[in-house]
Amino acid sequence: MSRERFAEQVVLITGAASGIGAHLAERFATEGARVALLDVDEAGATAMAQRLPDALAVGVDVSSRAAIREALDLVRERWGRLDIVVNNAATCSDTPFDRIPDHEWERDLAVDLSGPYRLVQEALPDLLRARGNVLNIVSVNGLTHFGNESYSVSKAGLMALTRSLAVTYGPQGLRANAIAPATIVTPIWDDRLERDPHVLDAATKWYPLGRLGQPDDVAHAALFLCSAEASWITGTTLVVDGGLLAGNALLADDIMAQG
Ligand SMILES: NC(=O)c1ccc[n+]([C@@H]2O[C@H](COP(=O)([O-])OP(=O)(O)OC[C@H]3O[C@@H](n4cnc5c(N)ncnc54)[C@H](O)[C@@H]3O)[C@@H](O)[C@H]2O)c1
């Protein structure tokens, strides 16, 4: 297999200062891509970009159309093309449904769902010219209930948008896919770890493969879906979850014990 599946290609990744997005930036760059790292954390994105051979960091809040336009102009000026957009930035309210305030609900929808809508809409001419790819990082939360309602409905909506883009723009050569990870060890867990240092250990027992995910687990799937190897795959959501959604062994054990 070629080590440079993305030579010459320009990949734009949102939320690229941290966690999965930062790791994706490194992995795409390792395979020859030029990478635009967009993040509300401009200093973090800049630090990441400095580690890559040909990268651009832009401080962007993806809920702002004006900020997205400015970032896309910088990408066009620098490289004159855009092949892949990875919608990865997200926020996630932990407030229970009966107490979630409007501003948290609306922030999650604005960042997690409307951000990708605005970015893909603005980047569409470039992506169609490139016969390129949209990759949306969603979540198992968009497929079944694990709490975090504002986040989960956004991710479910983003899966619907993925299918819509695939069907509408497939005839022009654009592919759109999604990855739905379960628990991946990244800084998104920091607040919860502060409240309960054992939260990740407690989660491990739910995973048939006996471990939590790492950013590289998502990266393998992401690079595959955006590569020529996946040229007949579009509109799909690939679950990357260590078997979490395949079944519920603890429930099965309980039922068998009572049988
Ligand atoms: N880590 C997990 O367990 C997990 C599970 C399922 C899905 N995901 C998804 O993976 C993606 C990456 O998550 P992560 O775990 O790497 O999180 P993370 O918190 O490490 O990184 C998220 C990044 O998004 C940036 N960001 C937040 N709001 C933004 C905005 N308005 N505009 C631009 N950037 C913004 C943050 O600054 C941060 O750098 C998210 O879409 C998340 O929903 C993560």
Side-chain angles (χ1 to χ4, degrees):
M1 187 193 302
S2 163
R3 301 286 300 158
E4 296 243 317
R5 284 181 287 183
F6 302 98
E8 305 299 317
Q9 293 194 31
V10 175
V11 182
L12 183 158
I13 303 171
T14 68
S18 167
I20 292 168
H23 192 73
L24 288 178
E26 275 187 324
R27 288 292 313 276
F28 272 110
T30 305
E31 297 214 28
R34 301 171 281 187
V35 187
L37 299 92
L38 274 58
D39 205 295
V40 74
D41 172 7
E42 187 170 5
T46 303
M48 266 308 301
Q50 281 166 354
R51 298 169 48 180
L52 307 179
D54 190 3
L56 171 71
V58 195
V60 171
D61 179 342
V62 297
S63 63
S64 158
R65 186 179 288 275
I68 286 170
R69 281 187 177 154
E70 281 172 27
L72 286 171
D73 282 345
L74 291 173
V75 170
R76 292 175 186 125
E77 269 168 38
R78 168 107 173 220
W79 292 301
R81 63 187 282 179
L82 177 59
D83 300 86
I84 296 170
V85 165
V86 182
N87 284 302
N88 168 77
T91 55
C92 179
S93 167
D94 273 346
T95 309
F97 178 72
D98 60 342
R99 275 175 276 144
I100 186 166
D102 280 354
H103 72 268
E104 282 185 16
W105 180 273
E106 280 154 14
R107 180 206 59 195
D108 283 357
L109 265 80
V111 175
D112 304 358
L113 179 58
S114 302
Y117 139 69
R118 292 193 177 100
L119 175 53
V120 173
Q121 197 181 51
E122 292 289 337
L124 202 52
D126 311 80
L127 291 170
L128 291 177
R129 203 174 307 118
R131 299 179 72 80
N133 272 273
V134 173
L135 179 66
N136 294 322
I137 307 300
V138 295
S139 168
V140 290
N141 280 47
L143 291 162
T144 196
H145 175 69
F146 289 112
N148 310 107
E149 286 79 4
S150 49
Y151 172 83
S152 303
V153 300
S154 302
K155 296 298 193 180
L158 190 50
M159 280 185 250
L161 182 62
T162 306
R163 292 188 289 271
S164 162
L165 293 171
V167 172
T168 307
Y169 298 106
Q172 289 165 264
L174 181 80
R175 294 191 297 114
N177 289 295
I179 292 175
T183 306
I184 308 290
V185 182
T186 72
I188 211 172
W189 287 90
D190 287 355
D191 288 348
R192 288 178 204 157
L193 277 166
E194 250 174 52
R195 293 196 296 269
D196 173 5
H198 304 294
V199 63
L200 290 178
D201 302 332
T204 306
K205 67 174 178 293
W206 296 100
Y207 286 85
L209 288 177
R211 68 169 176 90
L212 302 181
Q214 295 295 330
D216 214 32
D217 293 311
V218 178
H220 284 300
L223 270 67
F224 165 68
L225 284 172
C226 294
S227 75
E229 293 150 21
S231 62
W232 209 51
I233 300 176
T234 195
T236 199
T237 295
L238 179 57
V239 173
V240 176
D241 74 341
L244 179 71
L245 296 189
N248 188 329
L250 299 182
L251 172 62
D253 285 350
D254 276 356
I255 292 168
M256 296 308 281
Q258 284 165 21

